[in-house]
Amino acid sequence: MRKIGVLMGWPESDPEAQSERAAFVHELQKLGWVDGRNLRIDTRWAAPSDPESMHRLAKELVGLQPDLILSQSTPATTALLQETRTIPVIFGIVADPIGSGFVASFPRPGGNATGFAVAEPTQAGKWLELLKEIAPRVTRVAVLFNPAMATFAEFWLKPFKAAAPSFAVEAIVAPVHDTSELESVIAAQAREPNSGLFVMADAFTITYRGDVTSLAARYRLPAVYGYRLFTEVGVLLSYGEDWTDNFRRAATYADRIMKGEKPGELPVQGPVKFELVINRKAAKALGLTIPSSLLATADEVIE
């Protein structure tokens, strides 16, 4: 029986985290690896507000000496690679694997880690373009993120700031450290006229996406997000990759590693397909009209 460890960077109660793990397990079954038959999967769930728990659980999984470990996020991957440089680690949703020090390059990662990057810097310009297309009056956009979770923040901030002037927008850095700060930070942005919001996807903002979404709606801030799970809970629009598909692809890497291939020789794979999701109900609540040309290109329109 082979062993796989899984370190999830979101709570067990999060439905998105559950669907990602389920996609990984289901794809493994299709490849002939069945949990409880020829495979044992040990999963640990870490709360983003508790970094110490993340490191403790990473140490615990490494101590089980599995054949490989699947890590969900950047903080989870960081914690695992601090504990082992020998057990193969496959990351599922990481923004900047090179800048985070996980791999040497995309084609030849080297070391014991490989996996799937979920973004590329050019997305920053696309987010601004989409937001301005729906809310043309926006002249300042606050970038909301948790510095402790978004250790990759500069990967987004730098291109976001660079792209902002071409859209006649001022980029405002808006860090938030815990849930008690969320309302004050969002309210401060809303006090300035013609403000919008971009929410960087990190373990904190994803876990508390319901709070972020309701506050953005309450303070009437048109907001753009990188991934559809935000739009599904009531946000204006999102543009980004399908994360669940990364976990299906991660299963193929797990299969190859368990059959003898080395993680350092498996290339890091970038985004495959981006999807634009628009929430028409949110647009109506903000008094915004979605251009018909944008509706025509959307992958999904939530009514």
Side-chain angles (χ1 to χ4, degrees), residues 8 22-23 50 81 117 119 147 180 214 235-236 255 258 262 267 285 293 298-300 303:
M8 303 297 288
D50 188 1
L81 293 180
S180 66
S214 62
V235 169
L236 180 60
D255 176 61
M258 288 191 290
K262 298 183 182 299
S293 58
D299 295 280
E300 182 179 351
E303 301 291 349

Side-chain angles (χ1 to χ4, degrees), residues 194-246:
N194 302 320
S195 290
L197 189 67
F198 165 63
V199 180
M200 193 181 296
D202 61 49
F204 175 86
T205 58
I206 291 167
T207 299
Y208 299 108
R209 58 188 177 273
D211 302 83
V212 174
T213 299
S214 62
L215 286 167
R218 185 191 309 171
Y219 288 98
R220 300 185 60 76
L221 281 174
V224 59
Y225 297 75
Y227 306 99
R228 65 172 298 129
L229 63 161
F230 288 100
T231 320
E232 289 170 348
V233 293
V235 169
L236 180 60
L237 69 102
S238 63
Y239 177 77
E241 192 189 16
D242 177 3
W243 284 354
T244 304
D245 186 58
N246 280 11

